[in-house]
């Protein structure tokens, strides 16, 4: 890597404003942020494009699609990780928390068999320096699964684990307050008959009553001892938000109502919503739309969830809507705020002294084009 990299004729999106100027990188860090064009012969002209902080993704299960590209197909894990990584970095994401689901609610589901394989493949590729984005792990704990606690304890000591979320996808509450939506979603996902769906619904309700509360307490306590960030999931009521705050959680993932999102925000949790919710114009589960939370000024973080390219697109769309989010504030939802919520204070913002995780994007419409990406000053796309 050159001793100094100079990027000029760029629109630098800082935390406060957009600057027409120049950014200098030294030793993988941002060394200077200046207005105006550089006249240095080695300066790289960015053609007036935007220069943004590299995106930080806290919750994506995108790797699963590459591990199982079709039903019954198990793709080689090393290839799956590198293909996933290429898609992540092409979307402008320089730090990604790969979400691994502990406790598949479908008995015999592939997620349980894939879990150790996925973890090992991510760790091996990262250790070998084969990934272009920085990969960390997000353990998603399905609390109503009987074995979730033992599975969690087997994995939580892994050095890449830095974020844990607790969730309960049983019918009649949280994400699936409308049981009809639950039946529609899981019948389609698992191809169940009406009778199979009836039995599945009863089983999940009973498991939730038996395990959910005590597993939540145990997982959160284990995270507190280890200093891991914890996220709630699908909070729907004031009581849910208060419980999450009492547990010391720092992120409220996908709250399903304005009441829960507003309470979470006021209690100090960073409210995370899906970028696809912004791009598509609403929730696929019939819950609160992210644009409504933005209008109420309680939307803090966006996550691509299942579609990596949605992250930057959603931030650009958010900045163009009728709300208080200008471009710097919208970009913060996909960079500075997720980084801070996960305890990563060395990145996520264009500021002197921080990591030179950056992306160049041409934004001519609501569909931005990622042109270059740097991680710690090294070009990776």
């Amino acid at each position: 890597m050159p001793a100094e990299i100079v990027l000029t004729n760029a629109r630098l999106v800082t935390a406060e404003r957009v600057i027409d100027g120049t950014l200098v990188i030294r030793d993988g860090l941002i060394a200077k942020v200046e207005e105006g064009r550089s006249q240095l012969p080695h300066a790289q002209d960015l053609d007036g494009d935007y220069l943004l902080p590299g995106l930080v993704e806290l919750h994506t299960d995108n790797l699963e699609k590459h591990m199982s590209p079709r039903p019954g197909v198990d793709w080689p894990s090393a290839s799956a990780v590198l293909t996933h990584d290429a898609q992540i970095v092409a979307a402008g994401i320089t730090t990604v928390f790969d979400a691994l689901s502990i406790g598949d609610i479908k008995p015999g589901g592939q997620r349980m068999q894939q879990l150790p394989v996925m973890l090992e493949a991510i760790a091996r590729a990262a250790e070998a320096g084969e990934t272009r984005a920085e990969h960390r792990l997000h353990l998603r704990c399905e609390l109503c699964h009987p074995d979730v606690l033992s599975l969690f304890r087997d994995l939580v000591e892994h050095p890449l684990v830095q974020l844990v979320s607790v969730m309960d996808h049983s019918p009649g509450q949280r994400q699936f307050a409308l049981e009809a939506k639950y039946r529609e979603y899981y019948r389609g996902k698992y191809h169940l008959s009406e009778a199979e769906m009836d039995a599945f619904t009863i089983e999940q309700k009973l498991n939730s009553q038996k395990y959910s509360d005590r597993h939540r307490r145990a997982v959160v306590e284990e995270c507190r001892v280890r200093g891991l960030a914890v996220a709630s999931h699908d909070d729907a009521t004031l009581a849910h938000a208060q419980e999450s705050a009492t547990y010391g959680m720092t992120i409220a993932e996908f709250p399903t109502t304005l009441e829960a999102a507003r309470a979470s925000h006021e209690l100090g949790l960073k409210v995370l919503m899906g970028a696809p919710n912004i791009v598509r114009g609403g929730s696929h589960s019939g819950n609160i739309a992210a644009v409504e939370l933005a209008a109420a000024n309680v939307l803090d973080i966006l996550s691509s969830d299942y579609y990596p390219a949605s992250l930057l697109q959603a931030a650009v769309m958010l900045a163009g809507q009728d709300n208080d989010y200008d471009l710097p504030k919208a970009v913060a939802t996909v960079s500075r705020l997720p980084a801070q919520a996960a305890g990563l204070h060395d990145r996520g913002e264009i500021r002197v002294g921080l990591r030179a995780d950056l992306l160049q994007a041409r934004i001519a419409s609501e569909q931005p084009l990622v042109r270059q990406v740097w991680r710690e000053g090294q070009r990776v796309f």
Side-chain angles (χ1 to χ4, degrees):
M1 185 168 59
E4 179 180 86
I5 298 171
V6 180
L7 306 175
T8 195
N9 188 20
R11 303 187 70 187
L12 312 175
V13 182
T14 71
E16 298 82 22
R17 62 194 180 106
V18 179
I19 300 171
D20 291 329
T22 299
L23 183 145
V24 178
I25 301 169
R26 295 194 193 105
D27 300 321
L29 303 177
I30 298 172
K32 290 183 182 178
V33 178
E34 303 173 325
E35 294 191 19
R37 294 195 188 188
S38 171
Q39 300 304 314
L40 292 171
H42 63 280
Q44 182 181 162
D45 190 328
L46 297 193
D47 300 321
D49 287 346
Y50 286 91
L51 190 64
L52 288 72
L55 309 187
V56 178
E57 171 56 68
L58 295 184
H59 179 133
T60 177
D61 55 12
N62 185 62
L63 177 56
E64 291 183 0
K65 292 184 293 187
H66 297 290
M67 293 286 293
S68 299
R70 286 188 176 181
V73 174
D74 292 325
W75 201 256
S77 59
S79 171
V81 167
L82 295 183
T83 304
H84 159 64
D85 175 71
Q87 190 173 7
I88 287 293
V89 80
I93 298 167
T94 50
T95 302
V96 58
F97 284 69
D98 293 312
L100 304 183
S101 184
I102 303 177
D104 193 343
I105 65 170
K106 181 186 179 185
Q110 280 188 304
R111 276 179 163 177
M112 296 293 282
Q113 286 73 44
Q114 287 180 341
L115 185 60
V117 177
M118 290 167 64
L119 189 150
E120 178 58 31
I122 293 167
R124 188 166 54 245
E127 185 177 356
E130 296 170 347
T131 56
R132 289 180 280 177
E134 181 173 333
H135 289 253
R136 296 175 181 244
L137 296 178
H138 171 174
L139 300 183
R140 302 176 60 217
C141 299
E142 188 61 60
L143 299 173
C144 58
H145 190 281
D147 298 324
V148 70
L149 195 54
S150 61
L151 291 167
F152 169 74
R153 286 170 173 159
D154 286 343
L155 299 175
V156 71
E157 299 290 351
H158 196 285
L160 289 182
V161 172
Q162 193 160 351
L163 177 62
V164 175
S165 58
V166 289
M167 58 198 67
D168 181 346
H169 283 113
S170 58
Q173 49 91 51
R174 295 183 182 262
Q175 180 179 354
F176 293 107
L178 299 175
E179 192 167 313
K181 281 287 185 181
Y182 180 86
R183 297 179 69 89
E184 175 187 340
Y185 180 79
Y186 283 108
R187 280 201 71 184
K189 184 174 184 178
Y190 296 143
H191 309 292
L192 303 176
S193 68
E194 189 71 26
E196 288 171 333
M197 189 67 222
D198 289 342
F200 181 75
T201 300
I202 292 170
E203 179 184 16
Q204 297 311 313
K205 285 183 176 180
L206 291 174
N207 281 345
S208 177
Q209 293 167 10
K210 185 174 182 181
Y211 299 113
S212 190
D213 286 344
R214 64 186 175 93
H215 282 171
R216 181 181 284 105
R217 286 193 296 271
V219 168
V220 170
E221 176 58 21
E222 298 261 1
C223 292
R224 186 194 65 78
V225 170
R226 291 170 173 79
L228 295 174
V230 184
S232 66
H233 195 81
D234 297 335
D235 286 348
T237 65
L238 174 60
H240 287 159
Q242 290 172 332
E243 178 186 55
S244 298
T246 299
Y247 278 131
M249 299 185 193
T250 57
I251 302 166
E253 288 191 330
F254 313 115
T256 65
T257 65
L258 178 58
E259 175 191 36
R262 179 175 282 129
S264 297
H265 186 81
E266 291 173 353
L267 289 166
L269 285 81
K270 298 301 182 186
V271 175
L272 179 153
M273 293 292 282
N277 189 309
I278 296 279
V279 175
R280 296 179 63 254
S283 164
H284 72 272
S285 300
N287 296 314
I288 191 78
V291 294
E292 295 182 55
L293 301 191
N297 205 25
V298 297
L299 174 62
D300 300 303
I301 297 172
L302 289 172
S303 162
S304 71
D305 197 3
Y306 57 88
Y307 202 92
S310 69
L311 199 57
L312 180 57
Q313 183 179 1
V316 172
M317 292 177 66
L318 186 64
Q321 294 171 347
D322 184 17
N323 54 44
D324 291 331
Y325 292 75
D326 58 8
L327 187 59
K329 185 174 178 178
V331 167
T333 68
V334 296
S335 54
R336 176 169 55 88
L337 292 175
Q340 291 177 350
L344 302 176
H345 299 288
D346 62 345
R347 69 195 75 185
E349 182 183 347
I350 290 183
R351 178 159 57 86
V352 172
L354 296 191
R355 280 176 38 154
D357 291 355
L358 303 161
L359 74 96
Q360 175 190 355
R362 178 155 294 178
I363 304 175
S365 65
E366 288 188 343
Q367 182 61 60
L369 173 65
V370 176
R371 303 186 73 190
Q372 295 189 87
V373 179
W374 297 263
R375 173 185 157 199
E376 295 185 274
Q378 181 175 349
R379 188 178 173 190
V380 291
F381 178 79

